[in-house]
């Protein structure tokens, strides 16, 4: 038969550590008393207040509000400009049917350059002008980032516009000197060589701009890489242009010295002087 208990205490609901570990002789278990009723409670230490190190100190608190976390992400217009610049280079090559391998051959071979001019219908200077303007747009991006970052997209557009005008003025001086010294064909070949090198420089510089803007901690390194590449390309282009010009008959040495020193070398010296002054 089942035993009837008069108590209503549920011993199984009590935690095991409150029960006595030694059973009684009759087989029942004695309910123990909780520990907090037996032992004296531990006294907590009082809060210790210490004098602040910043009281009467030269480094006083300047800002009492929370500081806004700085935003290190590049503006959206930079990404849009890079994509647009890449698309324009691809579109120009597609419309003019310029292949990268053919372009590289034309940079070192005079006959390959003539074939490219004929096959791609690049017989006018206005058609080849976008090659130089694409280079201007690509080079102005790191310049704006390092020197005119606070001006935003408006400053970049004004910088690109100003450099583009100087670039077209430089080409105009080339044509003026060619007409003056009656050597239009030599100047045309020299400018064509420059345009082809500008297209190559614009393509490589645009590729290098992606790690320049979006590779963390590599902006200074990529700036040196871009500058070294442009300097190396300028030297190769200059030597190649002189070689193309000197292969023509009836070339004037005085005219060669004139445009090389004033139109090519002098602007580079001005930029170097400005950089050293900064």
């Amino acid at each position: 038969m089942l035993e009837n208990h008069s108590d209503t205490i549920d011993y199984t609901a009590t935690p095991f550590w409150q029960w006595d570990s030694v059973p009684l002789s009759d087989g029942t278990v004695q309910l123990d008393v909780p520990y907090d009723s037996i032992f004296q409670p531990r006294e907590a230490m009082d809060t210790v207040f210490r004098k602040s190190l910043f009281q009467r100190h030269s480094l006083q608190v300047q800002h009492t509000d929370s500081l806004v976390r700085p935003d290190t992400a590049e503006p959206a217009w930079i990404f849009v400009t890079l994509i647009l610049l890449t698309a324009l280079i691809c579109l120009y090559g597609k419309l003019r049917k310029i292949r990268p391998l053919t372009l590289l051959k034309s940079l070192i071979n005079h006959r390959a350059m003539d074939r490219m001019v004929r096959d791609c219908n690049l017989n006018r200077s206005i058609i080849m002008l976008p090659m130089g303007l694409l280079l201007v747009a690509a080079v102005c991006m790191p310049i704006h980032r390092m020197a005119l970052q606070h001006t935003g997209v408006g400053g970049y557009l004004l910088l690109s516009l100003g450099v583009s005008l100087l670039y077209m003025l430089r080409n105009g001086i080339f044509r003026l000197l060619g007409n003056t010294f009656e050597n239009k064909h030599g100047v045309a070949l020299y400018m064509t060589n420059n345009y082809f090198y500008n297209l190559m420089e614009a393509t490589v510089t645009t590729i290098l701009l992606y790690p320049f803007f979006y590779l963390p901690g590599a902006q200074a390194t990529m700036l040196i890489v871009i500058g070294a590449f442009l300097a190396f390309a300028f030297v190769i282009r200059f030597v190649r242009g002189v070689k193309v010009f000197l292969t023509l008959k009836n070339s004037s040495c005085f005219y060669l010295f004139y445009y090389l020193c004033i139109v090519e070398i002098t602007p580079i010296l001005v930029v170097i002087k400005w950089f050293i002054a900064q």
Side-chain angles (χ1 to χ4, degrees), residues 135-148:
L135 175 61
V136 170
V139 172
C140 286
M141 291 199 70
I143 296 177
H144 175 269
R145 181 65 175 81
M146 302 305 298
L148 303 171

Side-chain angles (χ1 to χ4, degrees), residues 72-259:
T72 58
E74 296 293 341
W77 69 267
I78 291 181
F79 180 76
V80 174
T81 304
L82 288 176
I83 296 299
L84 181 61
L85 188 58
T86 305
L88 289 177
I89 294 176
C90 297
L91 179 62
Y92 182 82
K94 184 68 174 179
L95 294 177
R96 295 287 96 191
K97 299 179 181 180
I98 300 176
R99 298 181 178 180
L101 183 59
T102 305
L103 177 61
L104 293 178
K105 290 181 179 179
S106 65
L107 299 179
I108 58 178
N109 192 309
H110 182 68
R111 292 185 178 180
M113 183 177 68
D114 293 338
R115 289 194 300 268
M116 183 174 173
V117 172
R118 182 184 66 253
D119 298 339
C120 300
N121 195 20
L122 301 173
N123 51 5
R124 289 186 299 173
S125 180
I126 190 64
I127 298 178
M128 294 183 289
L129 181 61
M131 300 181 184
L133 298 182
L134 289 173
L135 175 61
V136 170
V139 172
C140 286
M141 291 199 70
I143 296 177
H144 175 269
R145 181 65 175 81
M146 302 305 298
L148 303 171
Q149 183 180 2
H150 60 281
T151 59
V153 61
Y156 169 73
L157 294 177
L158 291 177
L159 177 63
S160 300
L161 179 61
V163 178
S164 299
L165 293 177
L166 292 177
Y167 181 84
M168 290 185 288
L169 177 62
R170 166 180 169 272
N171 293 342
I173 294 177
F174 278 152
R175 298 190 188 90
L176 177 63
L177 294 176
N179 295 333
T180 303
F181 292 94
E182 298 180 354
N183 199 346
K184 297 181 180 180
H185 183 58
V187 173
L189 285 178
Y190 183 82
M191 293 180 61
T192 301
N193 177 76
N194 287 352
Y195 280 131
F196 287 173
Y197 271 90
N198 291 158
L199 182 59
M200 183 271 297
E201 295 170 9
T203 303
V204 177
T205 303
T206 303
I207 296 174
L208 295 177
L209 286 178
Y210 285 94
F212 173 79
F213 283 106
Y214 296 104
L215 186 62
Q219 190 172 88
T221 303
M222 293 307 303
L223 181 64
I224 296 175
V225 172
I226 294 175
F229 166 75
L230 292 177
F232 177 76
F234 171 79
V235 174
I236 299 299
R237 176 178 62 82
F238 186 80
V239 174
R240 172 66 180 169
V242 172
K243 182 179 179 180
V244 170
F245 183 82
L246 292 180
T247 54
L248 299 176
K249 60 180 181 180
N250 299 329
S251 296
S252 174
C253 295
F254 174 78
Y255 164 64
L256 176 62
F257 173 79
Y258 191 79
Y259 84 78

